Amino acid sequence: MKFRTIKGVQDITPPETSLWQKVEAIARRVFRTYGYSEIRTPIIEFTELFTRGIGETTDIVEKEMYTFPDRAGRSLTLRPEGTASVVRAYIQNALHTLPAPQKFYYLGPMFRYERPQKGRYRQFHQIGVEAFGTDNPMMDAELLDMLRSLLEALGMGGLAFEVNSIGCPQCRPGYREALTGYLSGRRDHLCNDCLRRYEKNPLRVLDCKSPSCQSLKQEAPRIIDHLCDDCKEHFERFRGYLKTAGIDFTINPLMVRGLDYYTRTTFEVTSSDLGAQNAVAAGGRYDGLVREFGGPDTPAVGFALGMERLVTLLSDREGVHPPGIDVFFAILGEGLRERAFRLVKRLRSAGLSVEMDFLGSSLKSQMRRADKSGARYALILGEDELERGVVKYKRLSDGSQGEVREEELPGFFLGL
RNA sequence: GUGAGUGUAGCUCAACUGGUCAGAGCACUGGACUGUGGCUCCAGGGGUUGUGGGUUCGAGUCCCAUCACUCACCCCA
């Protein structure tokens, strides 16, 4: 083999592609009912868009980006996530001049230079949504409601919704101080990773999974006790709306996000069926990012779903069912090929999905193929039929046969 | 970036402590059924056992290196 895919990327081939199409179709349908429109942005951007947006000291920016110079020497990056690009597009295309709120969804590949494992790849696919122009917590709740609708439409159970509020630039510094104050006296109890986090981003100590840190966190000050009045009210109303929407959730005061732009609401949906990489969807509010990117002060909230993980769950749950065709057209002899070609075309013009033999196979093997193709009917054209102006048909589900006149061909099958 | 495991036909795997070991099932193709599928039976194509070295009379089997894949950590979707 001369060429292989590079590490962590993969081909998606039939019949799995039908599963992807299903996920995409359901997502588009659900988003439409919530008033979201599709936005498409480039998968490549100036590097600075991500370093500024996601945060210089985040893991994504520090070690996971596909970054390289273009021929003119500018630093470009394959997008590691979708939000930064959508915010850029929102400003660049002056979408803030349209009536608020503006709601968008996108889907497509993202790239992170990580060590691949189950459910994590270097090229992976996300479906994401972003709602701009309101800080009303009902929008946060609507988002979760939409997310739940989508996951339900995909037939997924066993999911857990966790929410939290990580405050705003007013209240977070105070909490950060309280937390570092608490941790500083207990540094010898922290794992090595957390000692690093303690210096860099103390909030991330909170979601460490190591047992030694786990116990420490029980007593740690909680951010939801340090929220300013506005954030506290926002969080309370958010939770109230979630109840109104009938969403089962738990508050996880330890959940912080790995991206710097989040404010107030954060949330995550996990599935126990996924292994270590168990997050299905995650998101939150980012009220400061549009302004940070030079746009007008515009609150926003969004989330992203990992498509590989959705497809994995869907596949485990339902298996893969490639769509069958309507008709397989079999011929007895090369002399009939051209005639069949014409008839096949006529059937297709009527909207039927039709396949025929190209290899000159025996009738038996054509029938085998018809069966495997999932066709509902096989048509057979031989010299005998040609002379009488008919085509033989066989219903593959029960083996019953009959004949149709050629000129009745498209119509005969349309009614079935 | 760290750790562990695995690499034998398209897929899933077998081959005892190194000695006809290069196999099976599935898939594919053809035939039994000279113009008919799904079941059954038969036959066939397809592998320099990831790659490169080494040990040995002899290596898929042991050793080293390398590459790839997998799982976990980190982190995340």
Short mmCIF file of all heavy atoms in Angstrom, two decimals, chain A residues 31 54 93 106 128 147 172 179 182-183 204 236 284 286 292 305-306 327 331 358 397 399 415:
data_model
loop_
_atom_site.label_atom_id
_atom_site.label_comp_id
_atom_site.label_asym_id
_atom_site.label_seq_id
_atom_site.Cartn_x
_atom_site.Cartn_y
_atom_site.Cartn_z
N PHE A 31 -32.95 21.98 14.43
CA PHE A 31 -32.48 23.37 14.53
C PHE A 31 -33.46 24.32 13.85
O PHE A 31 -33.71 25.43 14.30
CB PHE A 31 -31.09 23.51 13.88
CG PHE A 31 -30.01 22.78 14.64
CD1 PHE A 31 -28.84 22.40 14.00
CD2 PHE A 31 -30.16 22.49 15.99
CE1 PHE A 31 -27.84 21.73 14.69
CE2 PHE A 31 -29.15 21.82 16.69
CZ PHE A 31 -27.99 21.44 16.04
N ILE A 54 -9.71 31.54 22.04
CA ILE A 54 -9.77 30.39 22.94
C ILE A 54 -8.94 30.62 24.18
O ILE A 54 -9.26 30.12 25.26
CB ILE A 54 -9.29 29.13 22.18
CG1 ILE A 54 -10.22 28.87 20.99
CG2 ILE A 54 -9.25 27.93 23.09
CD1 ILE A 54 -9.68 27.86 20.01
N ASN A 93 -19.49 40.14 8.74
CA ASN A 93 -20.63 40.28 7.85
C ASN A 93 -21.72 41.19 8.42
O ASN A 93 -22.84 41.23 7.91
CB ASN A 93 -21.22 38.91 7.53
CG ASN A 93 -20.23 38.03 6.77
OD1 ASN A 93 -20.04 38.20 5.57
ND2 ASN A 93 -19.58 37.12 7.47
N TYR A 106 -23.85 25.20 12.56
CA TYR A 106 -22.84 24.81 11.58
C TYR A 106 -22.51 23.36 11.80
O TYR A 106 -22.77 22.80 12.87
CB TYR A 106 -21.57 25.66 11.75
CG TYR A 106 -20.95 25.58 13.12
CD1 TYR A 106 -20.05 24.56 13.45
CD2 TYR A 106 -21.29 26.50 14.11
CE1 TYR A 106 -19.50 24.46 14.72
CE2 TYR A 106 -20.76 26.41 15.38
CZ TYR A 106 -19.86 25.39 15.68
OH TYR A 106 -19.34 25.28 16.94
N GLY A 128 -22.49 22.50 15.76
CA GLY A 128 -22.52 23.52 16.79
C GLY A 128 -23.61 24.54 16.52
O GLY A 128 -24.08 24.68 15.40
N LEU A 147 -31.07 21.00 22.55
CA LEU A 147 -30.09 19.92 22.60
C LEU A 147 -30.75 18.61 23.00
O LEU A 147 -30.50 17.55 22.41
CB LEU A 147 -28.98 20.29 23.59
CG LEU A 147 -27.85 19.31 23.83
CD1 LEU A 147 -27.21 18.90 22.51
CD2 LEU A 147 -26.81 19.93 24.76
N ARG A 172 -15.54 36.57 39.04
CA ARG A 172 -14.61 35.44 38.99
C ARG A 172 -13.26 35.72 39.66
O ARG A 172 -12.73 34.83 40.33
CB ARG A 172 -14.39 34.96 37.56
CG ARG A 172 -14.00 33.48 37.56
CD ARG A 172 -13.84 32.92 36.18
NE ARG A 172 -14.85 33.43 35.28
CZ ARG A 172 -14.76 33.36 33.97
NH1 ARG A 172 -13.71 32.81 33.41
NH2 ARG A 172 -15.71 33.85 33.20
N LEU A 179 -10.21 30.60 45.94
CA LEU A 179 -9.80 29.24 45.64
C LEU A 179 -8.29 29.06 45.83
O LEU A 179 -7.84 28.10 46.46
CB LEU A 179 -10.18 28.87 44.20
CG LEU A 179 -9.84 27.44 43.76
CD1 LEU A 179 -10.61 26.43 44.60
CD2 LEU A 179 -10.14 27.25 42.29
N TYR A 182 -7.47 28.89 49.38
CA TYR A 182 -7.79 27.59 49.96
C TYR A 182 -6.74 26.55 49.57
O TYR A 182 -6.28 25.75 50.39
CB TYR A 182 -9.16 27.14 49.47
CG TYR A 182 -9.49 25.70 49.78
CD1 TYR A 182 -9.94 25.32 51.03
CD2 TYR A 182 -9.35 24.72 48.80
CE1 TYR A 182 -10.25 23.99 51.32
CE2 TYR A 182 -9.65 23.40 49.07
CZ TYR A 182 -10.10 23.03 50.32
OH TYR A 182 -10.39 21.73 50.60
N LEU A 183 -6.33 26.57 48.28
CA LEU A 183 -5.41 25.56 47.79
C LEU A 183 -3.97 25.77 48.27
O LEU A 183 -3.22 24.80 48.44
CB LEU A 183 -5.43 25.53 46.25
CG LEU A 183 -6.71 25.04 45.59
CD1 LEU A 183 -6.63 25.20 44.08
CD2 LEU A 183 -7.01 23.59 45.96
N ARG A 204 -9.11 24.99 36.97
CA ARG A 204 -9.09 23.67 36.36
C ARG A 204 -8.75 22.56 37.35
O ARG A 204 -8.97 21.39 37.06
CB ARG A 204 -8.12 23.65 35.18
CG ARG A 204 -8.55 24.54 34.04
CD ARG A 204 -8.11 24.01 32.70
NE ARG A 204 -8.73 22.74 32.40
CZ ARG A 204 -9.94 22.59 31.91
NH1 ARG A 204 -10.69 23.66 31.66
NH2 ARG A 204 -10.41 21.40 31.66
N GLU A 236 -30.06 31.50 38.68
CA GLU A 236 -31.32 31.04 39.26
C GLU A 236 -32.42 31.00 38.22
O GLU A 236 -33.19 30.03 38.14
CB GLU A 236 -31.73 31.98 40.42
CG GLU A 236 -31.07 31.59 41.73
CD GLU A 236 -31.22 32.68 42.79
OE1 GLU A 236 -32.03 33.63 42.58
OE2 GLU A 236 -30.51 32.58 43.81
N GLY A 284 -21.74 26.73 26.49
CA GLY A 284 -21.91 27.72 27.52
C GLY A 284 -22.05 29.12 26.92
O GLY A 284 -22.12 29.28 25.70
N TYR A 286 -20.83 33.04 26.31
CA TYR A 286 -19.59 33.80 26.14
C TYR A 286 -19.94 35.25 25.82
O TYR A 286 -19.89 35.69 24.69
CB TYR A 286 -18.70 33.18 25.05
CG TYR A 286 -19.42 32.82 23.76
CD1 TYR A 286 -19.37 33.69 22.67
CD2 TYR A 286 -20.12 31.64 23.64
CE1 TYR A 286 -20.02 33.37 21.48
CE2 TYR A 286 -20.77 31.32 22.46
CZ TYR A 286 -20.71 32.19 21.39
OH TYR A 286 -21.36 31.89 20.22
N GLU A 292 -14.53 41.37 22.43
CA GLU A 292 -13.11 41.05 22.41
C GLU A 292 -12.57 41.01 20.97
O GLU A 292 -11.44 41.40 20.71
CB GLU A 292 -12.92 39.67 23.08
CG GLU A 292 -11.58 38.98 22.87
CD GLU A 292 -10.48 39.56 23.74
OE1 GLU A 292 -10.81 40.27 24.71
OE2 GLU A 292 -9.29 39.32 23.42
N LEU A 305 -21.64 19.65 19.51
CA LEU A 305 -21.78 18.20 19.68
C LEU A 305 -20.69 17.50 18.90
O LEU A 305 -20.32 17.94 17.81
CB LEU A 305 -23.11 17.73 19.09
CG LEU A 305 -24.41 18.16 19.73
CD1 LEU A 305 -25.23 18.90 18.70
CD2 LEU A 305 -25.14 16.94 20.21
N GLY A 306 -20.19 16.40 19.44
CA GLY A 306 -19.21 15.62 18.71
C GLY A 306 -19.90 14.58 17.85
O GLY A 306 -20.55 13.68 18.34
N VAL A 327 -35.34 -0.93 -7.69
CA VAL A 327 -35.40 -1.93 -8.77
C VAL A 327 -34.00 -2.34 -9.22
O VAL A 327 -33.13 -1.49 -9.37
CB VAL A 327 -36.15 -1.34 -10.00
CG1 VAL A 327 -36.10 -2.31 -11.17
CG2 VAL A 327 -37.59 -1.02 -9.64
N ILE A 331 -30.48 -8.49 -17.21
CA ILE A 331 -30.63 -8.79 -18.64
C ILE A 331 -30.03 -10.16 -18.95
O ILE A 331 -29.13 -10.64 -18.27
CB ILE A 331 -29.92 -7.74 -19.53
CG1 ILE A 331 -28.47 -7.57 -19.09
CG2 ILE A 331 -30.66 -6.43 -19.47
CD1 ILE A 331 -27.65 -6.72 -20.02
N PHE A 358 -23.40 -4.51 -15.06
CA PHE A 358 -22.42 -3.96 -15.99
C PHE A 358 -21.36 -4.98 -16.36
O PHE A 358 -20.50 -4.73 -17.18
CB PHE A 358 -21.72 -2.75 -15.35
CG PHE A 358 -22.56 -1.51 -15.39
CD1 PHE A 358 -23.41 -1.23 -14.35
CD2 PHE A 358 -22.50 -0.65 -16.47
CE1 PHE A 358 -24.20 -0.09 -14.38
CE2 PHE A 358 -23.28 0.49 -16.50
CZ PHE A 358 -24.14 0.78 -15.46
N SER A 397 -39.43 -9.76 -2.05
CA SER A 397 -39.82 -10.09 -0.67
C SER A 397 -40.52 -11.45 -0.62
O SER A 397 -40.32 -12.22 0.31
CB SER A 397 -40.73 -9.01 -0.11
OG SER A 397 -41.83 -8.80 -0.98
N GLY A 399 -41.10 -13.42 -3.79
CA GLY A 399 -40.80 -14.22 -4.97
C GLY A 399 -41.88 -14.25 -6.04
O GLY A 399 -41.73 -14.93 -7.05
N GLY A 415 -46.85 3.12 -8.42
CA GLY A 415 -47.97 2.85 -7.52
C GLY A 415 -47.64 1.85 -6.42
O GLY A 415 -48.43 1.64 -5.52
#
